């Protein structure tokens, strides 16, 4: 078997990315893609690579996941995450978790250390303790920006929907040198959501799906709309019917828009290593590394290219 050339694609969320945050979002997705690619180049698995890329973005306050997550109606952070291995269809997810830095790590442990696929809230908390995952004070995950937004949304005449446009779910998909695919997605959810609200991210087939027979995808956007059309699985279904990643992504996003009025974005890789980053929102931060080239963008039609070697050099100097 010819060895595959590894590919990683990441997204930092679809929605409205405000000017003053553009640079941070761009730098964050580029850093995540380079880290994930580093794992793949050293022979690491697709699962390792997507976990590493997502962890990098959970730790970056620019994104609505891990540190920087938005707050629920009570002013707390509740996070959802999923990871899936396309070789076995094994998956692990957590929902409504609090007080841990990296929900994606916990999702991976659910996949590997339990017979289950999804643990929630208190049960996820007990499992994290059993696995020795350090607990951090909830405040540590809260940024000034998230608190400001939460306060604004509490005002009687506010429309939280207006603010939801800057969503910031994060995700990654990869194909490794063995030809295995994987996906990972992580989010803080919707600002001022009801306590206990779980969106698409933790739901297999909606927030992400990975199957070696077709490919892998991770989604972002309006969670309830994504769940209605089971967006991740829908994209892979279209690829199974012979569509390219790009056409499959556009077709599924278009269906979600016309059928339920939902906007979002997706990243896709197929088993041949072809990739796409597509969105129906105004923006989506994304980055890809393939064949030692880095591609990245935020606006529709934007696609910057740089050699990985240049990118790594400027990464070391600090963006």
């Amino acid at each position: 078997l010819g060895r595959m050339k590894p590919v990683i694609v990441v997204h930092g969320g679809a929605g409205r990315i405000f000017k003053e945050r553009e640079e941070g979002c761009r730098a964050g997705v580029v850093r995540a893609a380079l880290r994930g690619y580093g794992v793949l180049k050293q022979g690491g698995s697709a699962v390792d690579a997507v976990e590493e890329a997502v962890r990098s973005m959970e730790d970056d306050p620019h994104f609505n996941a891990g540190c920087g997550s938005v707050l629920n109606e009570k002013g707390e952070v509740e996070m959802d995450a999923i990871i899936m291995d396309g070789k076995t269809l094994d998956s692990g997810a957590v929902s409504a978790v609090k007080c841990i830095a990296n929900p994606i790590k916990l999702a991976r442990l659910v996949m590997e250390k339990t017979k289950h696929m999804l643990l929630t809230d208190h049960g996820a908390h007990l499992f994290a303790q059993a696995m020795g995952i350090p607990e951090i004070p909830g405040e540590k995950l809260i940024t000034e920006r998230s608190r400001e937004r939460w306060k604004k949304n509490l005002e009687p005449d506010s429309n939280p929907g207006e603010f939801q446009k800057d969503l910031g779910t994060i995700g990654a998909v990869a194909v490794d040198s063995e030809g295995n695919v994987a996906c990972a997605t992580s989010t803080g959810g919707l600002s001022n959501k009801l306590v206990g609200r779980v969106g698409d991210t933790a739901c297999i087939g909606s927030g992400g799906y990975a199957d070696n027979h077709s490919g892998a995808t991770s989604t972002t956007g309006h969670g309830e709309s994504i769940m209605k059309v089971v967006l991740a699985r829908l994209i892979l279904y279209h690829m199974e019917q012979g569509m390219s990643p790009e056409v499959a992504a556009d077709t599924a996003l278009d269906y979600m828009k016309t059928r339920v009025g939902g906007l979002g974005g997706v990243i896709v890789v197929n088993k041949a290593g072809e990739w796409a980053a597509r969105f129906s929102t105004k923006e989506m931060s994304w980055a890809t590394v393939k064949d030692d080239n880095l591609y990245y963008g935020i606006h529709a039609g934007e696609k910057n290219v740089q050699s990985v070697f240049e990118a790594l050099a400027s990464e070391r100097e600090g963006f």
Side-chain angles (χ1 to χ4, degrees), residues 43-64:
S45 69
V47 172
D48 289 337
V50 295
E51 181 190 9
E52 177 59 31
V54 164
R55 202 180 54 78
S56 160
M57 289 185 284
E58 284 176 341
D59 293 342
D60 185 330
H62 279 95
F63 303 108
N64 172 18

Side-chain angles (χ1 to χ4, degrees), residues 173-313:
V173 294
V175 56
D176 61 29
S177 55
E178 306 285 311
N180 294 314
V181 299
C183 70
T185 312
S186 180
T187 191
L190 292 179
S191 190
N192 298 61
K193 62 191 178 179
L194 294 181
V195 169
R197 179 264 189 186
V198 177
D200 65 295
T201 298
C203 301
I204 190 171
S206 294
Y209 202 82
D211 182 348
N212 279 8
H213 294 161
S214 43
T217 179
S218 168
T219 67
T220 167
H222 184 245
E224 282 72 13
S225 299
I226 290 169
M227 290 158 95
K228 287 175 186 176
V229 301
V230 199
L231 185 62
R233 191 66 192 83
L234 181 59
I235 292 166
L236 292 189
Y237 166 77
H238 286 317
M239 289 185 352
E240 285 155 9
Q241 305 301 303
M243 286 184 193
S244 69
E246 192 162 298
V247 175
D250 287 346
T251 304
L253 283 168
D254 191 49
Y255 176 72
M256 183 167 83
K257 191 171 171 179
T258 53
R259 186 71 179 86
V260 298
L263 301 180
V266 298
I267 51 174
V268 192
V269 66
N270 70 10
K271 59 184 183 194
E274 299 170 318
W275 63 275
R278 309 292 293 170
F279 46 99
S280 52
T281 51
K282 274 217 164 52
E283 283 104 14
M284 179 178 81
S285 55
W286 62 273
T288 303
V289 184
K290 180 180 180 177
D291 287 335
D292 289 327
N293 279 319
L294 164 73
Y295 307 86
Y296 60 94
I298 285 187
H299 306 285
E302 179 193 357
K303 189 178 186 181
N304 306 294
V305 190
Q306 204 184 2
S307 88
V308 164
F309 311 108
E310 272 171 58
L312 283 170

